[in-house]
Amino acid sequence: ELGAIGDPSALGPMHEQMDNLLMLEAAYRRVPQPKDSERPRPYTPRNPAITPQTFPQTQAPIISNPLLWERFGSDGYGTDTLFFAFYYQQNSYQQYLAAKELKKQSWRYHRKYNTWFQRHKEPKIATDEYEQGAYVYFDFQTPKDENQEGGWCQRIKNEFMFEYSYLE
Amino acid sequence: ETDPAGFRSRVTTLFKSWYQICEVSGANETACSQYVLHLHQTGLLKGDDTTESFFRILLELSVAHCISSEEISSGAVQSPQQAQSPSFLIIDIYAKLVFSILKHFPEQESSSKLFLLSEIMAVTVRSIQKDAEEKKSSLNPIPYFRLFINWLLDLCSLDPGTDGANFQVLTAFANAFHALQPLKIPAFSFAWLELVSHRSFMPKLLTVNGQKGWPYVQRLLVDLLQFLEPFLRNAELGGPVHFLYKGTLRVLLVLLHDFPEFLCDYHFTFCDVIPSSCIQMRNIILSSFPRNMRLPDPSTPNLKIDLLPEIVEAPCILSEVDAALKAKQMKNDVDEYLMSRQQSSSFLSELKQKLLLSASEASSAGTRYSVPLINSLVLYTGMQAIQQLQATQQLQAGETQAPNVVALQMFKYLSMELDTEGRYLFLNAIANQLRYPNNHTHYFSFIMLYLFFESDQEIIQEQITRVLLERLIVNRPHPWGLLITFIELIKNPRYGFWKQAFIRCAPEIEKIFESVARSCG
Amino acid sequence: HGIDLTTLGLNLNSTENLHKTFGSPWSNEPSKGDPEFSVPQCYYAK
């Protein structure tokens, strides 16, 4: 009676307790399994490319590993892979991770232009509502005529005003 | 009462057309919103009895399909090990219908959406309760588990138009889970804990809208601990209880790691429902400390507790400390006694009796004493004493003189007059305040050491030692305040600890003290 | 004596929040598949 363990015989109304234990044992035989929660998030590419059946038909699990995207975001890898995932893997976990890495590198997403901007220099003007100055932005070069290929490139825009209301 | 004639077949037909939209045409947004508009225009979404019947029938159809699909597939396979998983197709379709209704609901103000959600939740809870009542231990919780998983993943991640909307969705779930708690539906317990602790639910309820969701999470944790308490009280845990206990430890560890302030601020409530035999589980709660705090190593030589800046700060306590005192109409007597400044013996002599439970209460509580009442009396009295001391600036750094005498008188009286069991619970109530550096830890550490020093009966010193030691010899974590109190007890010659006969009462006890002394530096 | 809580599959020294990958109270494994994420509507560029 000195210690922590109460007197077992003094348990609560036994019948209620026994009932609960029986029910709990029944529940124990039906503990939810991982598959009961899994909802394969079907990733349907916007423009699915039909590939030969011999090609992998599902994405490699590593593509959803945050560490992979941290490596893509780290020095020496450049940002093309991040932009590729952002614009070509929309609504996927990759897009989410790529955006996170771009943000870490001080890229800022402009909601109106659907474009990522990065300060090229310190802004000349900065108020609570906006900042203005020279920015690098990631853009798609539309082809001038049909026999030219469009392509992604980075450009510099001077005197750009980034209104914070458009900052995602 | 039964549904109107033909209503069930009407609902079935509507559900089939929803199935077509989802499965056949890939559930594009336009088709979904037109379907929802149709339901709205035909008056099925008003939130009246028709609405109630509509969703109840849909749920019955979905659950029946899920269960029958499991029976068919498991009937087909040879051994139970191969039992196939049930088909969640229709449950998922139904969950998606509710999600689409709430997403495309034509009435713009969110209040009618939230009203409809609470109606759907009420229908779901009533259906589960009815099913549990009828099926008892053969209840199949999985279809309902799957339904809630769908909703947690979809509804709780609805792009919150305003945090308020999202918060009200989360509290609608919290209320539903409270109604489905293990004490009410034991056969749903494992599914229930997985839902309540789900990463799409509990963390959001703890973070959306500041701390507004904390009382809901606290209530759900209390629901769980109250169910476990009678089983944990006598430490032999059979398979199912042990499994639920370990699951509870995992959830508490996630809270300890990610939301320590939540455990800190509600420690008093949780100590009321965790049986005193669950020492490690209680230590998890008591070891939590605010994330921005750095705790000095308790075994630092000559550590000056009194000089720590946090030691004079009062901890945040969100529990209602004096609730149990008020419930027993004792609060006024305690206040009078504390203000009286004289050592009125009538109050004290009656006190002991008041802490006892009636015979019937004692049998269900597994102890002759009201633990919540003792906890409330000890902490409330201590808080009043600390307030008075701080008011008179007596509780200065380095101050060693006896704090507020009247409170001390009460503690000393209880340590001497209570019987062994009562004293154990009383000392536990004090030890439950030995946490991270704050003025409660400081005060109650002093009280524990004072009672050891002042007592003229070895049994009291032995029990104080036992209460501290049994919390230290369990696996980690150990609360900081507990460690510094025990180190002070064994290191400060003032308490003459090593002269006590009981530390040599048996070889293994002697070994324990030697190893604890070593580990405490 | 309770149990060694580091054997419950949770990395208690992690600097990251545990709840993001908390799989279930019954398993030692973190949750499989993509943790919950949502991309804002404006990420859907033309």
Side-chain angles (χ1 to χ4, degrees):
Chain A
E1 81 282 9
L2 283 175
I5 307 300
D7 167 5
S9 65
L11 284 182
M14 285 314 284
H15 61 279
E16 184 188 320
Q17 193 133 355
M18 286 320 293
D19 254 2
N20 284 350
L21 197 50
L22 285 175
M23 299 288 192
L24 194 66
E25 274 154 7
Y28 188 46
R29 291 190 291 275
R30 287 190 172 282
V31 173
Q33 301 302 314
K35 60 183 177 346
D36 297 330
S37 306
E38 271 149 23
R39 300 196 312 176
R41 190 186 271 261
Y43 171 60
T44 45
R46 292 256 163 134
N47 317 305
I50 310 302
T51 53
Q53 278 308 314
T54 49
F55 284 18
Q57 295 303 310
T58 55
Q59 293 180 317
I62 190 170
I63 205 70
S64 290
N65 186 327
L67 295 177
L68 176 75
W69 292 92
E70 279 172 30
R71 289 292 299 274
F72 286 149
S74 64
D75 301 340
Y77 273 91
T79 50
D80 285 9
T81 313
L82 300 178
F83 284 120
F84 173 79
F86 183 81
Y87 285 109
Y88 288 94
Q89 311 293 338
Q90 297 189 22
N91 190 27
S92 71
Y93 192 42
Q94 301 172 48
Q95 181 185 39
Y96 172 83
L97 294 172
K100 223 168 124 177
E101 289 309 314
L102 285 166
K103 189 171 173 229
K104 269 189 210 165
Q105 295 189 28
S106 305
W107 288 88
R108 295 287 174 262
Y109 189 68
H110 194 287
R111 243 203 295 259
K112 184 176 168 192
Y113 302 125
N114 293 115
T115 303
W116 289 91
F117 288 83
Q118 186 186 57
R119 284 177 181 168
H120 184 54
K121 290 183 194 119
E122 274 308 298
K124 287 186 184 126
I125 308 169
T127 70
D128 285 351
E129 282 71 41
Y130 70 90
E131 59 183 60
Q132 185 161 0
Y135 292 83
V136 176
Y137 65 99
F138 191 79
D139 196 13
F140 186 78
Q141 161 90 32
T142 40
K144 289 196 180 45
D145 49 45
E146 60 279 0
N147 52 21
Q148 256 209 352
E149 274 283 303
W152 290 94
C153 62
Q154 301 198 9
R155 300 177 194 280
I156 291 192
K157 195 171 189 67
N158 294 307
E159 302 311 314
F160 175 69
M161 178 195 278
F162 198 131
E163 293 169 78
Y164 294 138
S165 58
Y166 288 125
L167 171 63
E168 171 53 42
Chain B
E1 61 281 1
T2 55
D3 300 315
F7 185 70
R8 194 173 188 87
S9 62
R10 183 182 158 211
V11 172
T12 308
T13 310
L14 282 167
F15 200 24
K16 279 179 185 158
S17 52
W18 174 251
Y19 172 83
Q20 300 297 329
I21 289 173
C22 290
E23 283 306 294
V24 177
S25 56
N28 67 58
E29 292 299 295
T30 319
C32 292
S33 61
Q34 280 163 358
Y35 183 87
V36 170
L37 189 59
H38 172 65
L39 294 181
H40 186 255
Q41 286 162 346
T42 50
L44 287 168
L45 304 181
K46 285 187 202 150
D48 55 9
D49 290 351
T50 308
T51 304
E52 193 272 348
S53 305
F54 175 64
F55 286 103
R56 176 171 41 75
I57 293 169
L58 287 174
L59 180 56
E60 285 167 3
L61 292 171
S62 310
V63 170
H65 174 272
C66 182
I67 291 175
S68 61
S69 68
E70 189 177 32
E71 283 151 6
I72 295 166
S73 61
S74 55
V77 293
Q78 301 346 346
S79 63
Q81 283 69 25
Q82 292 167 309
Q84 305 296 312
S85 54
S87 153
F88 294 129
L89 175 63
I90 304 302
I91 280 274
D92 291 356
I93 290 269
Y94 170 57
K96 188 178 177 65
L97 171 57
V98 170
F99 174 63
S100 297
I101 287 171
L102 294 168
K103 194 174 169 187
H104 299 294
F105 194 63
E107 314 241 340
Q108 279 329 305
E109 66 282 0
S110 65
S111 56
S112 42
K113 271 190 196 186
L114 291 165
F115 170 69
L116 187 58
L117 173 62
S118 58
E119 281 299 291
I120 296 167
M121 280 295 168
V123 168
T124 309
V125 166
R126 276 197 296 272
S127 299
I128 297 173
Q129 286 168 338
K130 179 169 166 285
D131 203 6
E133 198 45 50
E134 287 163 4
K135 304 248 180 64
K136 300 243 182 286
S137 58
S138 55
L139 172 76
N140 183 344
I142 300 302
Y144 302 112
F145 172 76
R146 178 69 181 198
L147 178 62
F148 277 113
I149 283 285
N150 276 305
W151 283 344
L152 288 182
L153 292 176
D154 294 336
L155 289 174
C156 290
S157 46
L158 258 180
D159 199 6
T162 64
D163 255 0
N166 208 0
F167 180 67
Q168 282 164 309
V169 169
L170 289 165
T171 51
F173 278 99
N175 293 329
F177 293 150
H178 179 58
L180 299 169
Q181 62 176 281
L183 269 176
K184 295 213 166 65
I185 308 186
F188 195 62
S189 301
F190 295 103
W192 181 88
L193 181 54
E194 182 154 348
L195 292 167
V196 164
S197 62
H198 196 274
R199 61 182 181 279
S200 287
F201 175 68
M202 186 174 73
K204 288 191 171 130
L205 195 48
L206 286 170
T207 47
V208 166
N209 262 17
Q211 296 183 358
K212 284 225 181 71
W214 284 22
Y216 293 89
V217 178
Q218 180 245 162
R219 184 175 65 169
L220 291 167
L221 264 185
V222 167
D223 291 343
L224 171 65
L225 294 170
Q226 280 177 332
F227 176 75
L228 275 171
E229 197 271 339
F231 302 111
L232 298 182
R233 209 184 284 157
N234 58 348
E236 295 102 34
L237 305 187
V241 176
H242 191 259
F243 195 69
L244 187 57
Y245 168 75
K246 272 180 80 173
T248 305
L249 289 182
R250 283 196 182 90
V251 174
L252 291 177
L253 287 173
V254 171
L255 289 169
L256 178 66
H257 184 278
D258 296 358
F259 306 100
E261 292 82 1
F262 168 74
L263 291 184
C264 291
D265 297 0
Y266 279 114
H267 88 288
F268 181 77
T269 307
F270 299 133
C271 285
D272 269 357
V273 289
I274 292 176
S276 44
S277 55
C278 260
I279 295 171
Q280 185 180 39
M281 182 187 273
R282 187 180 50 205
N283 272 355
I284 292 176
I285 308 272
L286 301 179
S287 300
S288 57
F289 59 89
R291 265 168 298 191
N292 59 359
M293 194 176 274
R294 291 290 163 267
L295 304 190
D297 180 338
S299 56
T300 309
N302 303 320
L303 177 62
K304 287 273 172 278
I305 312 295
D306 320 56
L307 303 181
L308 293 175
E310 301 89 352
I311 207 71
V312 294
E313 301 297 324
C316 171
I317 295 189
L318 297 178
S319 315
E320 207 187 331
V321 172
D322 57 4
L325 284 176
K326 282 182 194 163
K328 292 287 280 185
Q329 285 91 38
M330 283 175 62
K331 186 166 179 296
N332 295 338
D333 298 344
V334 173
D335 286 337
E336 241 171 76
Y337 169 73
L338 292 175
M339 297 317 287
S340 67
R341 296 187 181 289
Q342 33 110 11
Q343 297 147 27
S344 77
S345 60
S346 66
F347 168 78
L348 289 181
S349 54
E350 288 154 17
L351 187 55
K352 213 174 75 172
Q353 192 56 33
K354 286 182 179 170
L355 298 177
L356 285 167
L357 289 171
S358 66
S360 62
E361 287 170 320
S363 104
S364 72
T367 165
R368 288 181 296 119
Y369 287 88
S370 164
V371 172
L373 187 58
I374 292 176
N375 290 342
S376 177
L377 174 70
V378 165
L379 183 51
Y380 179 73
T381 302
M383 288 167 74
Q384 302 310 309
I386 293 167
Q387 257 172 28
Q388 284 176 20
L389 289 169
Q390 288 195 320
T392 56
Q393 294 305 315
Q394 276 181 25
L395 195 63
Q396 295 302 333
E399 180 64 50
T400 52
Q401 86 180 44
N404 181 288
V405 174
V406 176
L408 220 53
Q409 187 64 28
M410 179 205 285
F411 291 140
K412 192 170 170 186
Y413 172 84
L414 289 172
S415 72
M416 294 168 71
E417 297 304 321
L418 282 169
D419 66 10
T420 315
E421 185 190 359
R423 187 189 302 118
Y424 172 75
L425 298 171
F426 163 66
L427 294 172
N428 254 336
I430 296 173
N432 289 348
Q433 308 316 319
L434 305 178
R435 300 192 289 147
Y436 60 90
N438 60 56
N439 64 11
H440 290 194
T441 298
H442 192 200
Y443 177 79
F444 284 105
S445 176
F446 175 92
I447 293 292
M448 194 67 101
L449 294 167
Y450 170 82
L451 293 176
F452 187 97
F453 180 74
E454 284 290 312
S455 67
D456 50 6
Q457 300 168 45
E458 190 189 8
I459 174 70
I460 297 175
Q461 292 170 320
E462 178 175 344
Q463 269 201 291
I464 289 174
T465 305
R466 175 191 286 272
V467 162
L468 297 175
L469 190 67
E470 71 182 9
R471 292 167 182 242
L472 284 168
I473 56 177
V474 294
N475 273 295
R476 290 186 300 163
H478 302 121
W480 181 86
L482 172 70
L483 283 161
I484 55 126
T485 305
F486 190 73
I487 290 171
E488 175 68 10
L489 177 64
I490 63 176
K491 273 188 163 177
N492 187 329
R494 179 172 189 250
Y495 302 105
F497 182 78
W498 297 104
K499 296 191 197 90
Q500 300 293 337
F502 60 77
I503 65 174
R504 276 179 281 280
C505 64
E508 60 271 34
I509 291 292
E510 200 159 2
K511 280 201 203 81
I512 282 186
F513 281 111
E514 280 158 15
S515 71
V516 167
R518 267 196 306 279
S519 66
C520 287
Chain C
H1 289 95
I3 56 178
D4 176 355
L5 297 176
T6 60
T7 62
L8 292 178
L10 296 164
N11 174 7
L12 301 174
N13 297 319
S14 161
T15 52
E16 291 282 315
N17 274 334
L18 298 180
H19 67 258
K20 286 195 180 346
T21 54
F22 183 59
S24 116
W26 323 123
S27 85
N28 276 353
E29 304 302 323
S31 69
K32 281 208 232 68
D34 299 348
E36 285 326 296
F37 72 95
S38 60
V39 292
Q41 199 66 28
C42 61
Y43 275 11
Y44 300 120
K46 264 74 73 198

